[in-house]
Amino acid sequence: MAPPKKDTEALTLRLGREMIEAIDALRRDQPDIPTRPEMVRRILQAWIEEHPPKV
């Protein structure tokens, strides 16, 4: 999956080494081995789907 190109905003985020290593381990389990930013997007999307915002 390519990153979204429309109506987006950059987000700078610092993560500890353990978190980065965990993200990298999850990436390796994916058939397409996504980039770190793409893996973070997937993790966030899955979390949002499990915990929909109350609007």
Side-chain angles (χ1 to χ4, degrees), residues 34-52:
T35 63
R36 282 181 181 162
E38 176 58 23
M39 193 69 234
V40 171
R41 279 190 284 275
R42 291 179 187 186
I43 292 166
L44 287 172
Q45 184 62 46
W47 192 91
I48 290 169
E49 288 173 4
E50 290 181 27
H51 305 85

Side-chain angles (χ1 to χ4, degrees), residues 2-40:
K5 296 191 188 264
K6 296 181 181 176
D7 195 28
T8 64
E9 185 174 335
L11 175 68
T12 301
L13 178 66
R14 291 188 180 272
L15 300 173
R17 178 57 41 200
E18 287 182 12
M19 181 74 67
I20 292 170
E21 289 171 359
I23 290 168
D24 286 345
L26 289 170
R27 290 171 56 222
R28 286 190 291 276
D29 287 341
Q30 300 297 305
D32 58 343
I33 308 179
T35 63
R36 282 181 181 162
E38 176 58 23
M39 193 69 234
V40 171

